[in-house]
Amino acid sequence: MADSQFASIWQDAGDRYIQLTGKSLKDLPMPQTVEDLKKSVEWQNEQFKHFREKKVSQSNATGSQMRLIAVKQKIFSALNQALDPIESIGNMASGAATAVYQPAQQVFGAAMQLVTAARNVSAELDAVVDLLEMLKDFTVRLAVYKREDLSSELRTKLKDVLIIVMEVFARSLKKISDGTLGRIKAFTKNALVHKDNAMQGLLERLSKLTLAEDRLVSAETLVEGRQTARAVKSVQTSVDGNTAQLSQISHSMNRTSAGVDQVLDSFEDLREESRSSLLKKTLEPSPSAHDRLDEIQRQHIPNSGDWIRAEEPLQSWIASKTKFLWVSGHPGSGKSFLTYSIITYLRELHQQPGNTMPRSSLGFFFFRNGDQQMRSFEQALRDVAYQIAQTNPAFAKHIAKVVEDHPVPASLRSIWYRLFKEYFLRGDLAEKPTFVLLDGVDEALAEDRLTFLGLLRDLKTAGSNTKLHVCMIGRPEIGQEISNHLDFSACSIYVDPTKNGKDVQRFVERSIENSRVLNRVSESLKQEIFETLYAKAEAMFLWVRLMIAELSKKSRESAIREALHKAPKGLNDMLRHVLEGFSATLTEEDADDLNNMLACVALAKRPLTLGELNAMLRLRSANGDGVIYLEGKLRKQFASFFVLTREDNLTTANLQNRRGYLEANDFVHWVSEADEGMSDVENETNFNSNPDTTTISFTHDSLFHFFRDRTEGTVTAPGDNHPAVGVDLAEAQREVAKACINMIVRPTKENDRLLPYAKDYWNEHLADVQPNLFELSDKIAIGKALANMLQDSALMEVWCGAKSHAYFKPKDAEVLLLWLNDQDVLNASSWITFFWIQAMRWNPIELFEPTMRFHAKKWLTPVFNTTWNESNLMRTIFHYRKRKTGHVVDGLPKPSAEDVIATAEWFILWKNSDWYRHVGRVLEDFGHLKAASEYYSKAQKLDPSNINVSTDISKMYVGQRKFKEALELDAAVVKRAENDNTFTIGNAIFNRMAGCYEKLAYDIGTNGNLEEKNSLLSSALDNYKKAFSHGKSNFYWVQGAVKILHRLCNHEETLRSKDQVDGKQTEPGHSAMREPYKDIIDVLRSLDDSTVDDTTQLVKCLLEKRNADDTFWRVISLAAVEQQQLPWLEGKYKEALAHAEKHMHTVASAQLAIALGWLYAFRAGEESRAMQIWEAVAKAKIQPTAVTNAQTTPQLAALNNIGHYCLFKAVGEDQLAEPHVAKMEKLFSKYCTNTNGDSMLVETSLPRFLATWYHQNGRHEDALGIVKPYIIEGLAILSDDDPENDFQGYGYLADTLLAIGDYSNVFSIFHAMRPYRNGQAVIKSDSEPTFVSDEYDLGMVPVEEWSCVGNCGATGKIYDGLYMCPYDDSLLCEQCHMRLIDGKSLPNICSKRHGLIQIPILSPEQAFKKGEMLVDGQTMSFEDWKASLRTKYNA
């Protein structure tokens, strides 16, 4: 850029400044340096100068004056950090123009105007500080350019930076000058920027510029730039909260005591912004991939499929000699089990602690017929991306950046290009090997598959530069597709009997053993069965499974032999043979039921639930009744076809082996260890699975192919009067499509269970069959129904809510027009409908115009508005309008404020108060807070009595942490309700008010006024109680009330202790301090007195809170002990457990059982009952599906409880040490030393507990042997290039080093885990902010806020002076430590016998620099510290 050109652009920047502020650049003061700027600011603020001259001390200054001094000091610090770099590069950027235009000096002048405009108002000064801190994160990178020989390209980037900084200052000055901030009583963090679209746009441009200049600098500067690049990411941290810190806190839950959970409670309003939540919201991963892997794991026979590990093509693929691998095999040959074998092999090679091979990431997907979502390559890439992001923080950041800059990618091509290609195939972003396995690609949608194969050509283009490895597994038929679309040779493995023969042998042997019939035949017949099945199987496991099922039905050896030798070869022949057998034995009625089951499952667009299938059978029955005990038929009589999946993932064999749960009011146990192989299901068991959550699918995808093959049809056994068995595909398709339409246009109570499915998939079933294949009467009826569905608002109410914005596309309209434009349908239509359809022929998408107007009414009219998501309604209309004009909408583009408003005004409606409110809600949802506030204000002005507006504004304030403002609005609503009997409110407002009081209490900080904190907590408690009185079905308030009551009890005790220390008189007696525990029991009893359905509110509450943090269960049990109510609480636990078992909620019962075991162990002193429960849960192998969203599996939770309890007892009583340590050793050997790729070794704390005992009792080598893999893994993580996973590495090291007594290095980690100011460690005597502030920079170790496990509410960011338990890593503040020493009870079990160690308090002389580690008083570099650990532990 020429100097004259820059002069012109800078003039334009000056004009923009005048336009925004009314001030000319020429009129600005011209400080030459940052120091000149600071002097000018100080001179203009007489009050501040007055304080400095008088040297006001804390003793004679008012609170507001001291606050102002502190803010001014922050201003100067922020000016230094933000503008020093600009001073360095300002003149270089302008070149020869500097003498005339002086850009750096004018930037300083703009900054001075901004600071001066704040008028000594501390809140406005705070906002300026926040802004400067944010700019610092960008400008800090410019400080390296202190040379004159910059390239012209780099000089251009620096000029652009200056121009943007000027506009940022201008917009900020305008906000302060026009009083925008002055009208707000309390300001959010980054008030000048927060959700201001224009300001955020400028900062995004600034971010991109700094990234762009990064690519232009030399290699040496690039290395330096990477070290500071983390600061760029902190812009998002400054605006939305430190999400990385939350991710670190969440990760620590599995390894730290329950006290850490309190940190999560404190940040509950920020949790949704965590990286994991962002990824889930962006990628919308399905749980199916992991569910399928768990299913295969349960069925897997040890060593089966291991042969593939030695295959040369697989080894070449892993070693990066080729980037693509193709594994093929015929149906039923065990391909998915080979996928499982490859996955576990990769985990063993690359992800196990201690391995020297490069760490890698892994993603996998199982395509499945019978579920449209699981046939989509788009969904496959979403799932794979989510899985990779879990182990690759750099990729996770890439996804976040993509979403930040562009709409969420929605099409297959956009997901591949923007998520995968831009990261793995361009540049050097990807540093880890990444393996992607796609199983069952022949089951995927054909169009998707061909598109993806074309995209994979990018692998060849990238060559050896890419770290991405792709493996596809499927049937040989699509091998030609791969050859045609991939223009490079691919390594391939073909599964044939010479390779998987031994696997088939194992499967046959195990299946014979598991069959109750075949296991009882003579040895000679067993051998004959084995040899015959193996010879005829042709490497197909499914063929063996079907044959074993048929043989197991025979009752004589002669019949078994006859069936054995009649068995046909080939899978399709075998299936026809099985159907023929059913035809020969079933009655007409049973055959009809089987045919309907087969048709429904084969044609379903997703797995049907047990309840849905029974409803469909009822619908197709002549008498309108369902099948008695349908689950029994599916699991036993027709088990060769169908598999049922429960929410706890227990199989039929698991359920048959499950024994008792509650006998004589006592917990017994259950077992679930059925052998692998083909199990015999002919066993009398009342399964009683939940019909709404148990899904049905075929046992193998080959069955989908068979029953969807038009050439197969039905089969009839030889002889007379045998019913036909199978699927008449054409008839089944017609019947299902007709049924879906009928349920929408004529909904009945009997069809309520099927209606959601019909609403979701009616259009897809309609597209499967052509109109001319229907009877004339049916075709006309469907055509008329479609016309009504598109024009009648009553019918729109039924089906529109189930359709997202992605549905209303031109191709969807074309399917409907094919029906509506059929000549027979037109002839039968009214003249109005006739001409309407004719008009749509030119632009079919306009068929959806009436439905869009209906959407607008649902959004903006209170009469219509229900529970539909308003933002989705707006987005649907917005996308429709763009598609109508020919635009292609890809992904989820974030609508601007103008888009939202224009969409709302598209359909003319009366703009009353509710209209403005609903528009405001959507504006807020999309982040346009300024516009939302304006619309809320208009709504209030039109109808001041509209309390819904106040409620919406209150919710917005909570999101902005304006808790006081939210409380004012909510209190006014409550007061109105108290004075107006016609006005009612629910419990949500009281829950929100309680939460606000809690946040205000916690914001006081560790050393704040305890009485004030108690007052706020008491107000929170009052509102939780009011929430209960206004709606007993919501139990959110219960956990909050229990937590507050316990803290109030601790605070009372702390106040009493302080009074005693201060020599004040205290009231006699101990009962007052125990009063909150009485309140806790009263809360629980009030729930027990209220019934709902077939149980009490208390039982419902315990079931709902089964995933609550351990503190909830520990506190209510402690309250029961204090109030002598333990037997009563035990009975309620059992009552809830029995309720869960009665309704077959296996996951819930296991989680409740763990809580009951804790009560037995730590409150009732009944160890044997606790151990019986915990070991039974650990043995049960209950694996919740991802849908249940359980925090951890019951098995891991049980092992953690056993380890914690055994260590506690071994330390507490010497004579009990031996049996408890033996228990830990036994469980460690059984559950924590496997080599099949499971991550349990990392997730459970049992190994650490055992190592701690070994070390404390002189068995140092044994202890080191257990934890050494953790040390190696921790060092490996700290040595990679992903800074965001460093906390995991430090966690491994801190936990393991604590277990083996290396306290010096443990202290070094906790000392490093602190804020830094200007690169210097902040010590405890310095002022400590409530939250991690932008005033502080992060060190080598992430800053995580600690929480005292004494439940006193103490929190902080500097760990110095805390007491740590060497046995369970609990952290206690000094006050709770004194309570422990004095023999007081703490809820999170710890003992003074544990010999707590104190983290040393650093003196000012020991304040080390960022990047250093302090070990035994000596500083060393971070790299030297890691090297010393490697040497010390031979790691």
Side-chain angles (χ1 to χ4, degrees):
M1 184 186 296
D3 293 334
S4 59
Q5 186 178 1
F6 175 71
S8 175
I9 292 176
W10 189 252
Q11 181 62 46
D12 291 341
D15 294 340
R16 181 66 172 155
Y17 189 90
I18 295 172
Q19 178 186 352
L20 290 170
T21 67
K23 300 179 184 295
S24 170
L25 289 178
K26 296 179 180 178
D27 298 330
L28 293 178
M30 289 291 179
Q32 299 297 306
T33 66
V34 177
E35 284 302 314
D36 291 343
L37 167 61
K38 288 161 58 180
K39 291 177 182 178
S40 299
V41 169
E42 185 174 2
W43 179 81
Q44 289 203 15
N45 288 272
E46 291 297 329
Q47 181 181 4
F48 182 57
K49 185 177 180 182
H50 176 71
F51 274 117
R52 289 177 58 86
E53 289 173 350
K54 289 189 174 184
K55 298 181 179 179
V56 179
S57 66
Q58 293 187 17
S59 59
N60 58 21
T62 66
S64 60
Q65 290 169 339
M66 291 306 301
R67 164 72 175 153
L68 193 57
I69 292 174
V71 171
K72 292 290 181 68
Q73 291 171 339
K74 289 183 179 180
I75 283 281
F76 285 174
S77 174
L79 286 170
N80 270 335
Q81 295 181 59
L83 300 184
D84 273 345
I86 289 181
E87 181 177 338
S88 301
I89 59 96
N91 293 339
M92 284 186 283
S94 58
T98 302
V100 179
Y101 294 99
Q102 300 175 318
Q105 286 77 11
Q106 291 179 336
V107 169
F108 297 161
M112 180 175 171
Q113 289 277 20
L114 178 61
V115 175
T116 303
R119 302 183 303 277
N120 290 324
V121 177
S122 61
E124 294 179 348
L125 290 171
D126 277 340
V128 174
V129 169
D130 289 342
L131 178 68
L132 292 171
E133 286 291 328
M134 291 175 62
L135 290 176
K136 176 260 296 182
D137 288 325
F138 296 105
T139 61
V140 68
R141 306 186 58 181
L142 308 179
V144 299
Y145 305 116
K146 296 182 179 180
R147 58 188 189 277
E148 297 293 334
D149 55 338
L150 299 179
S151 66
S152 59
E153 293 87 358
L154 184 55
R155 194 184 300 274
T156 298
K157 299 297 180 186
L158 300 183
K159 293 170 182 175
D160 291 340
V161 168
L162 293 178
I163 292 170
I164 292 177
V165 170
M166 279 295 289
E167 182 164 350
V168 168
F169 283 159
R171 287 185 175 277
S172 301
L173 177 62
K174 183 177 186 300
K175 274 192 174 184
I176 290 178
S177 299
D178 66 15
T180 301
L181 294 181
R183 291 192 296 269
I184 304 176
K185 295 183 179 180
F187 305 106
T188 60
K189 188 87 173 145
N190 305 315
L192 289 168
V193 176
H194 190 55
K195 297 192 177 180
D196 181 319
N197 212 32
M199 289 287 277
Q200 288 189 352
L202 290 171
L203 293 179
E204 289 172 0
R205 287 169 56 197
L206 195 56
S207 175
K208 292 175 182 177
L209 280 173
T210 56
L211 289 175
E213 59 82 14
D214 178 64
R215 298 186 179 97
L216 294 172
V217 296
S218 65
E220 178 182 356
T221 308
L222 180 59
V223 172
E224 297 172 357
R226 279 184 176 174
Q227 295 173 349
T228 57
R230 301 175 190 175
V232 178
K233 190 63 179 177
S234 66
V235 174
Q236 184 64 36
T237 300
S238 302
V239 178
D240 291 327
N242 196 329
T243 59
Q245 182 183 6
L246 289 174
S247 178
Q248 296 152 9
I249 294 172
S250 178
H251 175 78
S252 67
M253 288 174 64
N254 288 333
R255 289 190 278 100
T256 58
S257 62
V260 176
D261 292 325
Q262 298 163 16
V263 180
L264 290 176
D265 293 335
S266 300
F267 291 100
E268 185 174 355
D269 58 309
L270 298 178
R271 188 181 302 168
E272 291 301 319
E273 297 299 324
S274 69
R275 187 178 70 193
S276 178
S277 297
L278 173 63
L279 290 173
K280 283 185 178 179
K281 183 178 180 180
T282 300
L283 298 175
E284 298 178 341
S286 71
S288 301
H290 283 285
D291 289 350
R292 176 61 176 150
L293 192 68
D294 290 340
E295 178 186 339
I296 295 173
Q297 181 183 1
R298 288 195 301 273
Q299 299 174 8
H300 182 256
I301 298 175
N303 303 318
S304 180
D306 286 357
W307 59 267
I308 200 171
R309 301 182 178 197
E311 291 288 301
E312 192 279 330
L314 178 66
Q315 292 297 328
S316 295
W317 181 69
I318 293 174
S320 294
K321 296 178 181 178
T322 181
K323 302 299 182 182
F324 181 80
L325 176 65
W326 167 236
V327 180
S328 63
H330 287 291
S333 58
K335 296 186 297 296
S336 294
F337 285 85
L338 291 178
T339 302
Y340 170 78
S341 184
I342 296 173
I343 290 172
T344 55
Y345 184 46
L346 288 170
R347 286 176 171 175
E348 290 173 11
L349 285 178
H350 295 276
Q351 295 184 318
Q352 288 302 303
N355 197 288
T356 58
M357 294 188 69
R359 292 170 52 77
S360 68
S361 296
L362 173 66
F364 55 88
F365 190 82
F366 294 88
F367 290 96
R368 298 292 300 271
N369 255 313
D371 189 339
Q372 291 295 87
Q373 183 184 34
M374 301 312 295
R375 298 186 66 201
S376 164
F377 259 96
E378 176 193 328
Q379 186 63 51
L381 292 189
R382 288 178 178 274
D383 280 25
V384 166
Y386 181 75
Q387 294 165 26
I388 294 172
Q390 301 308 296
T391 56
N392 189 335
F395 183 58
K397 288 190 291 185
H398 165 72
I399 295 174
K401 180 63 178 174
V402 167
V403 176
E404 178 184 343
D405 292 343
H406 304 284
V408 178
S411 69
L412 174 57
R413 290 182 182 276
S414 64
I415 292 175
W416 172 257
Y417 285 134
R418 293 169 55 194
L419 297 190
F420 289 86
K421 185 173 181 178
E422 289 182 6
Y423 181 81
F424 290 108
L425 307 180
R426 293 179 179 173
D428 60 348
L429 290 177
E431 298 180 352
K432 287 184 177 182
T434 300
F435 299 91
V436 175
L437 290 96
L438 303 172
D439 178 85
V441 290
D442 50 287
E443 312 296 340
L445 298 172
E447 183 180 354
D448 274 10
R449 184 172 61 245
L450 296 177
T451 300
F452 184 71
L453 288 173
L455 297 174
L456 279 183
R457 293 172 183 166
D458 294 332
L459 286 178
K460 180 182 179 181
T461 304
S464 60
N465 293 327
T466 180
K467 301 290 186 181
L468 186 65
H469 306 65
V470 178
C471 174
M472 296 173 65
I473 303 96
R475 298 185 180 188
E477 301 90 275
I478 65 170
Q480 191 59 45
E481 286 183 7
I482 294 174
S483 299
N484 293 341
H485 283 78
L486 294 183
D487 53 358
F488 61 96
S489 59
C491 284
S492 63
I493 299 173
Y494 177 69
V495 184
D496 60 35
T498 64
K499 294 178 179 177
N500 75 342
K502 290 187 180 298
D503 296 341
V504 176
Q505 287 180 357
R506 294 188 191 99
F507 185 74
V508 173
E509 290 173 348
R510 185 61 59 86
S511 298
I512 293 173
E513 292 173 6
N514 287 351
S515 170
R516 297 176 187 272
V517 173
L518 302 184
N519 194 36
R520 289 175 167 82
V521 303
S522 64
E523 291 301 321
S524 60
L525 181 55
K526 282 184 184 178
Q527 185 63 27
E528 187 178 349
I529 294 172
F530 170 78
E531 293 174 355
T532 305
L533 293 185
Y534 175 64
K536 290 187 174 184
E538 296 180 342
M540 290 184 290
F541 293 87
L542 178 57
W543 188 94
V544 175
R545 183 183 296 274
L546 293 169
M547 199 63 215
I548 289 287
E550 181 171 347
L551 296 179
S552 296
K553 297 176 183 178
K554 310 301 180 183
S555 58
R556 296 181 183 276
E557 291 197 358
S558 58
I560 292 175
R561 277 196 173 89
E562 182 182 358
L564 183 64
H565 294 290
K566 283 185 176 180
K569 284 189 175 184
L571 186 56
N572 282 8
D573 287 339
M574 184 66 208
L575 288 171
R576 295 186 201 101
H577 178 72
V578 172
L579 291 175
E580 185 179 299
F582 279 120
S583 173
T585 58
L586 293 179
T587 65
E588 187 79 33
E589 183 179 64
D590 286 343
D592 192 45
D593 287 337
L594 175 58
N595 292 343
N596 286 329
M597 294 177 201
L598 293 171
C600 291
V601 174
L603 296 182
K605 303 301 180 180
R606 62 157 172 79
L608 297 173
T609 67
L610 187 60
E612 287 173 335
L613 180 59
N614 205 16
M616 183 61 79
L617 296 176
R618 185 182 299 111
L619 182 67
R620 301 190 67 174
S621 167
N623 299 321
D625 50 359
V627 176
I628 299 174
Y629 195 28
L630 174 62
E631 183 175 7
K633 284 182 175 290
L634 293 168
R635 289 192 183 274
K636 295 189 291 185
Q637 187 177 9
F638 304 133
S640 54
F641 290 135
F642 303 106
V643 61
L644 283 73
T645 303
R646 292 159 45 105
E647 61 182 344
D648 54 16
N649 275 322
L650 293 181
T651 65
T652 299
N654 295 148
L655 295 170
Q656 287 178 325
N657 285 278
R658 200 166 176 266
R659 302 196 301 269
Y661 33 92
L662 287 174
E663 291 181 2
N665 280 332
D666 199 322
F667 185 88
V668 184
H669 64 287
W670 59 81
V671 182
S672 176
E673 289 194 333
D675 289 332
E676 297 84 353
M678 177 59 199
S679 300
D680 182 6
V681 297
E682 294 301 322
N683 181 25
E684 289 302 323
T685 302
N686 185 16
F687 299 104
N688 196 29
S689 298
N690 188 329
D692 295 321
T693 58
T694 302
T695 58
I696 304 158
S697 188
F698 284 132
T699 55
H700 196 276
D701 281 339
S702 299
L703 299 179
F704 284 104
H705 285 276
F706 181 83
F707 291 116
R708 289 176 178 173
D709 188 342
R710 294 184 184 276
T711 64
E712 289 296 343
T714 59
V715 176
T716 305
D720 298 330
N721 301 322
H722 291 302
V725 177
V727 176
D728 182 334
L729 188 64
E731 180 188 1
Q733 288 177 328
R734 289 194 298 269
E735 289 301 314
V736 172
K738 187 167 64 174
C740 286
I741 297 295
N742 286 338
M743 279 186 278
I744 291 174
V745 297
R746 286 184 291 277
T748 63
K749 186 175 182 180
E750 291 74 18
N751 293 333
D752 280 351
R753 210 166 214 153
L754 279 173
L755 186 57
Y757 178 89
K759 291 191 294 185
D760 283 338
Y761 298 107
W762 62 266
N763 55 301
E764 294 186 33
H765 284 293
L766 207 61
D768 286 342
V769 58
Q770 295 295 311
N772 58 9
L773 296 180
F774 282 80
E775 295 287 341
L776 178 62
S777 59
D778 287 339
K779 179 172 65 173
I780 292 174
I782 291 175
K784 287 184 174 180
L786 290 176
N788 289 333
M789 288 168 60
L790 293 170
Q791 298 180 87
D792 187 339
S793 60
L795 293 180
M796 293 179 198
E797 182 76 38
V798 176
W799 70 270
C800 281
K803 296 298 181 186
S804 71
H805 50 83
Y807 168 65
F808 301 93
K809 299 188 294 293
K811 69 175 185 178
D812 299 309
E814 289 166 6
V815 171
L816 300 179
L817 190 61
L818 179 67
W819 279 85
L820 295 171
N821 201 43
D822 180 90
Q823 194 59 50
D824 294 321
V825 174
L826 287 173
N827 292 340
S829 301
S830 67
W831 67 271
I832 296 178
T833 301
F834 176 89
F835 285 111
W836 175 66
I837 294 172
Q838 293 298 303
M840 298 300 105
R841 294 167 62 185
W842 307 108
N843 193 8
I845 195 174
E846 291 188 5
L847 282 171
F848 296 131
E849 188 89 1
T851 61
M852 292 303 106
R853 297 184 182 278
F854 176 76
H855 277 71
K857 290 181 180 179
K858 291 287 292 183
W859 170 24
L860 299 165
T861 308
V863 175
F864 280 84
N865 191 265
T866 57
T867 58
W868 292 21
N869 184 287
E870 293 175 272
S871 296
N872 286 344
L873 287 168
M874 177 270 154
R875 200 192 291 271
T876 299
I877 304 169
F878 175 59
H879 286 192
Y880 163 76
R881 294 181 66 211
K882 292 181 74 68
R883 288 170 180 145
K884 180 180 175 182
T885 55
H887 291 84
V888 176
V889 181
D890 180 18
L892 296 174
K894 177 181 176 181
S896 66
E898 292 74 16
D899 290 332
V900 174
I901 295 169
T903 302
E905 292 179 341
W906 166 71
F907 185 47
I908 306 301
L909 290 169
W910 179 33
K911 294 183 179 179
N912 59 7
S913 176
D914 278 305
W915 187 93
Y916 282 102
R917 180 174 75 90
H918 291 306
V919 176
R921 284 163 61 97
V922 174
L923 286 167
E924 180 191 350
D925 194 34
F926 287 124
H928 309 302
L929 293 192
K930 181 178 179 182
S933 297
E934 293 174 356
Y935 272 69
Y936 284 148
S937 297
K938 292 177 181 179
Q940 277 188 319
K941 186 175 181 180
L942 284 173
D943 184 3
S945 65
N946 190 339
I947 60 93
N948 290 325
V949 179
S950 299
T951 298
D952 289 334
I953 297 175
S954 173
K955 292 176 182 177
M956 183 173 67
Y957 281 157
V958 171
Q960 297 173 294
R961 298 189 65 83
K962 298 180 181 179
F963 302 124
K964 292 182 179 179
E965 288 84 344
L967 285 170
E968 288 180 9
L969 287 174
D970 286 340
V973 173
V974 172
K975 185 176 181 180
R976 177 183 169 187
E978 291 173 348
N979 297 329
D980 185 352
N981 294 332
T982 64
F983 180 66
T984 59
I985 53 178
N987 58 15
I989 190 170
F990 295 108
N991 280 327
R992 184 168 59 249
M993 292 178 72
C996 288
Y997 280 117
E998 279 193 85
K999 299 299 188 303
L1000 290 172
Y1002 300 148
D1003 282 353
I1004 291 176
T1006 306
N1007 300 316
N1009 187 309
L1010 197 55
E1011 293 181 349
E1012 181 183 356
K1013 183 182 288 189
N1014 278 2
S1015 176
L1016 290 168
L1017 290 176
S1018 296
S1019 297
L1021 179 62
D1022 290 341
N1023 279 280
Y1024 277 134
K1025 291 179 178 179
K1026 291 177 182 177
F1028 174 60
S1029 65
H1030 282 76
K1032 299 180 180 180
S1033 60
N1034 185 315
F1035 301 114
Y1036 170 82
W1037 65 274
V1038 177
Q1039 189 172 351
V1042 166
K1043 177 177 61 178
I1044 290 173
L1045 284 166
H1046 185 62
R1047 287 185 175 173
L1048 286 173
C1049 182
N1050 288 339
H1051 291 175
E1052 283 188 43
E1053 195 164 332
T1054 301
L1055 285 171
R1056 182 179 291 269
S1057 300
K1058 284 185 175 181
D1059 289 344
Q1060 291 172 349
V1061 171
D1062 296 337
K1064 297 179 182 179
Q1065 185 66 33
T1066 59
E1067 297 180 9
H1070 184 68
S1071 59
M1073 291 189 293
R1074 300 293 113 184
E1075 190 66 27
Y1077 289 137
K1078 179 180 181 300
D1079 290 342
I1080 290 175
I1081 297 300
D1082 289 344
V1083 166
L1084 299 180
R1085 283 194 174 276
S1086 67
L1087 289 173
D1088 196 37
D1089 292 337
S1090 177
T1091 59
V1092 56
D1093 299 328
D1094 59 342
T1095 187
T1096 67
Q1097 290 280 5
L1098 179 57
V1099 166
K1100 290 281 190 182
C1101 176
L1102 295 177
L1103 285 169
E1104 182 178 304
K1105 294 301 174 185
R1106 65 183 188 273
N1107 279 330
D1109 59 77
D1110 290 343
T1111 302
F1112 171 76
W1113 299 100
R1114 296 180 181 190
V1115 170
I1116 64 174
S1117 61
L1118 176 61
V1121 171
E1122 292 287 344
Q1123 295 298 309
Q1124 299 180 351
Q1125 296 293 316
L1126 194 59
W1128 173 81
L1129 185 61
E1130 175 193 355
K1132 295 306 163 184
Y1133 277 29
K1134 289 180 179 180
E1135 188 178 329
L1137 212 149
H1139 184 84
E1141 287 287 350
K1142 175 183 176 182
H1143 294 278
M1144 296 301 289
H1145 296 155
T1146 317
V1147 176
S1149 66
Q1151 292 164 329
L1152 285 169
I1154 290 172
L1156 178 61
W1158 200 94
L1159 182 144
Y1160 283 147
F1162 290 108
R1163 300 299 188 215
E1166 299 184 44
E1167 175 183 329
S1168 62
R1169 300 174 82 182
M1171 285 296 176
Q1172 185 183 28
I1173 292 173
W1174 288 337
E1175 289 188 52
V1177 174
K1179 193 176 184 180
K1181 299 181 182 178
I1182 295 172
Q1183 297 289 334
T1185 60
V1187 176
T1188 63
N1189 199 29
Q1191 291 179 342
T1192 187
T1193 66
Q1195 184 182 45
L1196 288 178
L1199 290 173
N1200 289 342
N1201 274 274
I1202 293 172
H1204 184 227
Y1205 179 79
C1206 286
L1207 182 62
F1208 178 76
K1209 297 298 288 186
V1211 176
E1213 302 179 45
D1214 295 337
Q1215 68 274 19
L1216 298 178
E1218 184 176 348
H1220 288 92
V1221 173
K1223 174 75 70 177
M1224 284 194 287
E1225 290 174 330
K1226 178 181 178 182
L1227 294 175
F1228 174 75
S1229 176
K1230 182 174 182 178
Y1231 294 106
C1232 304
T1233 57
N1234 48 33
T1235 58
N1236 63 0
D1238 291 345
S1239 57
M1240 185 180 297
L1241 180 64
V1242 174
E1243 294 176 355
T1244 179
S1245 301
L1246 181 62
R1248 179 170 58 83
F1249 290 140
L1250 182 59
T1252 300
W1253 170 261
Y1254 282 164
H1255 173 77
Q1256 295 291 340
N1257 289 271
R1259 297 173 59 179
H1260 304 302
E1261 291 300 320
D1262 291 336
L1264 183 58
I1266 291 177
V1267 301
K1268 188 174 179 178
Y1270 290 91
I1271 298 176
I1272 295 173
E1273 178 75 352
L1275 290 171
I1277 294 173
L1278 293 178
S1279 300
D1280 64 21
D1281 294 324
D1282 295 329
E1284 289 193 12
N1285 70 352
D1286 284 355
F1287 181 80
Q1288 183 182 12
Y1290 285 111
Y1292 286 150
L1293 290 176
D1295 284 349
T1296 54
L1297 296 178
L1298 179 67
I1300 58 178
D1302 188 353
Y1303 299 147
S1304 295
N1305 281 302
V1306 172
F1307 294 156
S1308 71
I1309 292 174
F1310 281 103
H1311 280 151
M1313 195 155 33
R1314 67 196 315 113
Y1316 292 76
R1317 184 187 291 115
N1318 298 327
Q1320 196 81 4
V1322 175
I1323 61 174
K1324 192 174 179 65
S1325 58
D1326 293 335
S1327 59
E1328 184 180 343
T1330 303
F1331 296 101
V1332 178
S1333 168
D1334 290 338
E1335 180 185 348
Y1336 300 88
D1337 49 287
L1338 302 180
M1340 297 296 291
V1341 187
V1343 179
E1344 178 184 327
E1345 186 149 296
W1346 58 263
S1347 180
C1348 174
V1349 299
N1351 209 39
C1352 62
T1355 59
K1357 289 169 296 300
I1358 298 177
Y1359 290 75
D1360 299 13
L1362 294 179
Y1363 288 84
M1364 176 183 293
C1365 176
Y1367 289 94
D1368 62 8
D1369 69 16
S1370 301
L1371 292 173
L1372 285 92
C1373 67
E1374 185 174 358
Q1375 293 173 353
C1376 286
H1377 178 252
M1378 290 302 299
R1379 291 174 56 210
L1380 186 68
I1381 297 302
D1382 293 340
K1384 299 295 192 303
S1385 174
L1386 294 180
N1388 301 315
I1389 299 298
C1390 192
S1391 168
K1392 58 185 178 182
R1393 286 194 52 156
H1394 290 185
L1396 272 66
I1397 56 176
Q1398 186 178 26
I1399 300 174
I1401 300 176
L1402 296 186
S1403 64
E1405 294 76 21
Q1406 293 176 304
F1408 52 91
K1409 297 178 181 179
K1410 183 165 66 172
E1412 294 179 338
M1413 302 293 287
L1414 184 67
V1415 184
D1416 291 328
Q1418 302 297 317
T1419 59
M1420 64 175 69
S1421 72
F1422 177 62
E1423 293 300 325
D1424 288 344
W1425 177 72
K1426 289 191 296 180
S1428 70
L1429 289 178
R1430 291 192 182 98
T1431 301
K1432 183 174 183 178
Y1433 295 108
N1434 191 26

